[in-house]
Amino acid sequence: QVQLVESGGGLVQPGGSLRLSCAASGRTFYAYNMGWYRQPPGKQRELVARITIGGSTNYADSVKGRFTISRDNAKNTVYLQMNRLKPEDTAVYYCNVFPQRQDFWGQGTQVTVSS
């Protein structure tokens, strides 16, 4: 079992940056592929970035070149560096394993991009 706690969200102007963190409990964090997901207002949750156990990454087209996912297994943490943010990036951001597991969802962290 893994418990996930997201942090780092907030209000940012278009073009700004934020770094999200996801702290995982449990001793087997290193054994999971991890993903960052987001749910914009009124829309379904979507995968935006994922990172494998070995560190390979993959991104949704909408964030490619602007977002970077990384992980620190020693700290049981996965990060999402978000640059050149756009209003359409406004959403609640969640981390989860990949493929997602329903019992692993945390509370998420709100990201609002607005002037």
Side-chain angles (χ1 to χ4, degrees):
Q1 186 71 14
V2 173
Q3 291 184 321
L4 303 167
V5 179
E6 302 91 346
S7 63
L11 173 64
V12 62
Q13 292 187 341
S17 298
L18 282 175
R19 188 194 196 201
L20 306 183
S21 299
C22 171
S25 65
R27 291 177 289 180
T28 58
F29 169 78
Y30 66 91
Y32 290 98
N33 298 320
M34 297 296 298
W36 278 100
Y37 304 76
R38 69 184 181 187
Q39 186 165 18
K43 297 184 179 180
Q44 290 188 332
R45 191 149 41 193
E46 60 182 359
L47 175 69
V48 294
R50 56 186 169 99
I51 186 166
T52 68
I53 297 168
S56 297
T57 58
N58 188 270
Y59 300 91
D61 287 344
S62 59
V63 306
K64 200 171 293 183
R66 300 188 298 120
F67 290 12
T68 302
I69 188 172
S70 61
R71 66 190 299 163
D72 186 336
N73 290 338
K75 295 183 178 179
N76 276 13
T77 302
V78 61
Y79 303 98
L80 187 67
Q81 177 67 44
M82 304 186 296
N83 298 328
R84 291 184 282 136
L85 282 160
K86 303 175 181 180
E88 52 263 43
D89 295 319
T90 295
V92 180
Y93 284 72
Y94 304 85
C95 66
N96 201 325
V97 299
F98 180 83
Q100 65 190 51
R101 284 185 52 165
Q102 284 301 118
D103 54 339
F104 283 10
W105 290 114
Q107 295 298 309
T109 186
Q110 175 71 47
V111 172
T112 302
V113 184
S114 175
S115 54

